[in-house]
Structure formats: C-alpha cells, structure tokens
Amino acid sequence: MDDIEIPEYFLCPISLQPLQDPVTTITGITYERESIEQWLKTARGNPTCPVTKQPLPRDSILTPNHTLKRLIQSWCVLNSVNGIDGIPMPKSPIKKSHVLRLVKDLDLPDHSCTKALMKLEALAAENERNRACMVEAGLEKSMVLFIIKCFKEGKTAGLEESLRILHLIWNPSQEIKILVRENQEFIDSLTWILRCKIDNHVAVKTHAMLVLQKTIDVVCQKQPERLNVDFFKDIITRVLRKRISKLAIKSALLVLTQVCLWGRNRVKIVEANAVYELIELELEKPERNITELIFNLLAQLCSCAAGREQFLKHAGSIAMLSKRILRVSTATDDRALHILDSISKFSARDDAVLEMLRVGAVTKLCMVIQADCAPYLKKKAGEILRLHSNTWNNSPCIAVYLLTRYAR
C-alpha cells in the first residue's frame, strides 16, 4: 500500500489527504468539503481560494463533484487487492429539528441529559456543517445557560461534554456576546469549574480554560476592567501553579496577557501573586512559545511599581532573565531587555544593580551588543549599561570599552 502513488488530483489541496466528499468552488478548484468549509470560516478578512488566490466569499456555493468522486471510487476498487480501502460515504448533515430535540433533553434527569450531550458532542465533532447547523439552532446559548445552571446547582454531570461542545461551535452571535458580556455568572461559572473537584478534572478544566479564553475575547471588547482579583487568583493558583496541562497554561497566559493591557487589571494580576508564579513556571524551562508568553506578560507587569517589586523579591528572577537572553528568541530578548530597562530606570536599588552584575545580566547585555541581533536590541542594551556604568565599570565581569564607547 505504501508503494502505491495516489493520483495528485485525488488529493485535497488543503489537507493533502484523499478526497472523500469533493466539492468544487466558484474558482473551479475541488476541495474536501470539510477542509474548504473550515478554511472559509477561519480566514481573516476577505477569504481567497487557497490555490488560485481569487476572491472566495464565505457564503460561496460548494458544488458536489460527483464525477471525481466516481473516479476515486473506481480507482479504489481497482487497487483494493493492494490494500486500498473504498472511500466512506459522507454522513448526511444534521437537521435543525434534530438539534432542538436533543436540546430539550437537557431538562431531563442527569443520565438522559448526559446522553443527549454526548450525542451533541459527537455531531459537533463530525464536520463544519453540523457545527453551523448547531449555531443556527441556538446551541451556543443553550450550552452557556446549561453551564450557568450547573454552577448555581453545584452539579458537575455533563460539564465536560457541554464545554467541549461550546469550544467546538463557538461563533458568538450578537445575542451570545451580550449574554456573556453582561452576565458575570458565566465567567463565575468557568472559574468555579477551575476550583471544584470533578472526575477527569484535567480535561474538564482545560476546556473550561479554553472557553474562558474565548469569553474574555468578547468581554474585553466592552468591559475589560470589570474582572475582580478573585478571577485572577483562580487562574493563577488553579491553572498556572497546579500545571493542569500545557494547553490550559497557554490559555491562561493568553487571557492574562489580554486583560493586562488595562492598568487596573495589571495591578490586580500582580496582587494575585502572578509575578512569582510566572518566574517559577519559567524556571521549569517550558517550551519556547510558553517562555515567550511568560516574558511578554512579565514585561507588562513590570511596567508598574508593584510588579517590579514582586519581581525583585524572587531570588532567582534576574538570574532566570539573564540566562534566557540570546537563548530563546528575538521576542524573548526584546521582553527581557524591557524588564531590565524598567528595573534599571525605576527600581534601581543598590542590591538590584549589584545582583544584575553578580548573576551575569550585565555580561549578557555586553553580549547583546556584540551579537548578531537586531540593532534596536543593541541600542537598548547600551542604554541600560550606561545607566549604572559607575557601579559596573570597575568589575572584571564587564569590558570597560563597552561602557565608554557610547557617549553619555
């Protein structure tokens, strides 16, 4: 089977997998239905055809390519002796009435309710057409209200399924935006899930964090500063400190970064002990994308006095920072220098300045000037070095010429 070459025109240009439900767009190119529907849904701005780059409206008609499908089926039959299976028939799309019947079952006792949720989850996972039908049937609102109901009644049955469904079909209408934006209970419900004891807690809390991330995207459009300190404490202590999962940690960092843009939120995040937890997380040497998120968030938090004070209280903060410079990415270098710049300008106590020298931060700044990196980073490093040259220039850790080559 591995030796058989599948004809190129039997493959979807997006997924590069054999076509099962081929449809042709108005640009004349044939794709797998699921792939092109997902492409049109997630494209930014005005979508274009992936192959021709011609305009391709989101509501484009997708015409089933029956001729190509018959050719693929015939080819599969001819090559069946070589281990090629026939292409499965695509399932018929669900109807709105079927979704509404399952939604009614959510009011039944726990067992029947969970069964209905499992059916809805399976349908949502099948394809984009099913998800679009569910959105049209108002399933998003039903899931939001179901999660709030669980919160009010203290019940956890069905939470995992409802969170998975909501994450899969999330495409908030104006009604849903108003519901989650003006109803603090939904955010409270999601943070309650982070706190409560529940079966399969890693999966449930990870999906709660994923849905919370999408919810915050909506909330921040209108009321970014309404979040209280307890909201941040739940995310920091229940997700970051307990290391629930990589996906949950990433979502938590993205949520904190987004809401941190507003000054009041920044102070609340610091008050929730975020700086300490972020440093502890980074000391475990996470993946590069997590490190970049951590440094970006730390840079924002260190723009306020309370954030810098908390940063300097951690015994390993400056050492961790200096070790990451020139080892991770340009984005990390940028944020690290931003933090050192803030400390050097606004929190330059004698012990902090000497600590920068002792743990190698000053040496790293010299290395940035000599390294093959962006000119603006070299300039920033030189500015930081000049700020405390009187303290640093007599140390064997730093070459004097690097301090004197830049005029004061």
Side-chain angles (χ1 to χ4, degrees):
M1 181 175 175
D2 294 336
D3 297 332
I4 299 175
E5 183 176 351
I6 301 175
E8 184 178 350
Y9 53 91
F10 286 179
L11 302 176
C12 171
I14 298 175
S15 67
L16 301 181
Q17 297 299 312
L19 293 158
Q20 297 184 10
D21 187 12
V23 292
T24 303
T25 64
I26 57 175
T27 61
I29 306 299
T30 297
Y31 300 94
E32 177 64 31
R33 181 186 292 276
E34 173 77 3
S35 297
I36 192 60
E37 286 179 344
Q38 184 66 17
W39 174 276
L40 293 173
K41 178 185 176 182
T42 58
R44 295 182 179 180
N46 297 320
T48 58
C49 174
V51 174
T52 67
K53 307 304 179 185
Q54 294 175 321
L56 189 61
R58 296 183 193 276
D59 57 354
S60 296
I61 296 175
L62 303 176
T63 307
N65 192 329
H66 297 298
T67 301
L68 180 56
K69 186 170 184 177
R70 284 195 292 269
L71 285 171
I72 297 173
Q73 287 173 329
S74 299
W75 181 84
C76 288
V77 171
L78 289 172
N79 289 276
S80 59
V81 293
N82 297 317
I84 298 294
D85 297 324
I87 59 173
M89 293 295 291
K91 295 182 179 180
S92 301
I94 58 171
K95 295 181 179 179
K96 185 177 176 180
S97 57
H98 181 49
V99 176
L100 294 174
R101 282 197 299 271
L102 290 172
V103 169
K104 285 184 178 180
D105 290 345
L106 299 181
D107 294 326
L108 297 176
D110 288 351
H111 177 72
S112 300
C113 172
T114 303
K115 190 175 179 181
L117 284 168
M118 291 174 70
K119 289 181 180 179
L120 285 167
E121 182 189 352
L123 291 169
E126 277 184 7
N127 54 58
E128 185 58 36
R129 281 179 295 169
N130 285 358
R131 292 190 283 273
C133 178
M134 290 173 163
V135 171
E136 186 182 346
L139 186 61
E140 283 177 300
K141 182 178 180 179
S142 298
M143 292 298 96
V144 168
L145 295 176
F146 178 83
I147 292 168
I148 293 174
K149 180 182 176 183
C150 288
F151 165 56
K152 288 181 175 180
E153 297 178 358
K155 295 182 178 179
T156 59
L159 273 178
E160 181 176 0
E161 292 80 9
S162 58
L163 288 166
R164 288 182 187 275
I165 293 166
L166 192 54
H167 181 247
L168 281 168
I169 68 173
W170 186 269
N171 186 22
S173 62
Q174 192 59 34
E175 181 185 13
I176 295 298
K177 288 180 179 180
I178 293 173
L179 179 62
V180 301
R181 190 182 291 152
E182 299 183 358
N183 191 344
Q184 181 65 34
E185 285 183 331
F186 184 56
I187 291 178
D188 291 342
S189 302
L190 295 173
T191 53
W192 164 73
I193 294 170
L194 297 178
R195 296 192 303 271
C196 70
K197 294 182 179 180
I198 187 171
D199 293 337
N200 198 17
H201 72 99
V202 172
V204 177
K205 293 181 180 182
T206 295
H207 276 86
M209 202 61 240
L210 292 170
V211 172
L212 183 58
Q213 181 188 340
K214 293 178 179 292
T215 304
I216 291 300
D217 287 341
V218 174
V219 171
C220 280
Q221 293 172 8
K222 292 288 183 180
Q223 298 171 305
E225 294 182 310
R226 80 176 200 197
L227 303 168
N228 56 38
V229 175
D230 289 337
F231 168 84
F232 298 113
K233 285 182 178 178
D234 284 333
I235 292 177
I236 292 163
T237 60
R238 309 290 176 173
V239 180
L240 296 185
R241 182 182 298 172
K242 293 193 175 182
R243 316 285 196 265
I244 289 180
S245 69
K246 290 181 180 179
L247 201 54
I249 288 171
K250 183 177 180 180
S251 290
L253 292 172
L254 288 169
V255 167
L256 293 173
T257 300
Q258 184 168 2
V259 300
C260 193
L261 296 173
W262 289 267
R264 290 181 184 176
N265 287 341
R266 198 174 301 144
V267 173
K268 293 173 188 175
I269 295 171
V270 172
E271 187 180 335
N273 204 34
V275 174
Y276 178 87
E277 296 298 339
L278 290 169
I279 295 169
E280 287 293 305
L281 179 59
E282 180 56 35
L283 287 172
E284 295 181 7
K285 298 181 180 179
E287 296 176 356
R288 190 178 85 167
N289 64 333
I290 298 296
T291 289
E292 290 176 344
L293 289 171
I294 290 171
F295 270 64
N296 186 32
L297 184 52
L298 281 173
Q300 292 191 53
L301 296 177
C302 286
S303 65
C304 68
R308 293 190 296 275
E309 182 181 356
Q310 200 174 104
F311 183 85
L312 291 172
K313 279 183 178 179
H314 193 293
S317 58
I318 297 178
M320 175 275 293
L321 204 69
S322 64
K323 284 186 178 180
R324 298 297 183 270
I325 295 174
L326 298 178
R327 288 189 177 185
V328 182
S329 66
T330 300
T332 302
D333 294 342
D334 176 88
R335 298 292 80 195
L337 291 184
H338 182 88
I339 295 169
L340 290 175
D341 184 59
S342 296
I343 292 171
S344 298
K345 286 179 178 176
F346 308 114
S347 301
R349 304 191 306 262
D350 290 344
D351 58 337
V353 174
L354 291 173
E355 178 74 1
M356 290 174 66
L357 182 65
R358 187 179 68 83
V359 300
V362 176
T363 303
K364 269 296 179 72
L365 289 170
C366 296
M367 292 174 65
V368 169
I369 293 175
Q370 294 176 309
D372 182 19
C373 57
Y376 80 93
L377 291 176
K378 294 173 180 284
K379 182 180 178 182
K380 178 64 68 177
E383 290 171 353
I384 298 170
L385 286 169
R386 289 200 305 274
L387 285 171
H388 302 287
S389 59
N390 290 335
T391 303
W392 295 332
N393 61 5
N394 293 323
S395 170
C397 298
I398 180 169
V400 176
Y401 79 92
L402 288 173
L403 295 169
T404 58
R405 65 188 295 187
Y406 297 96
R408 294 195 177 203

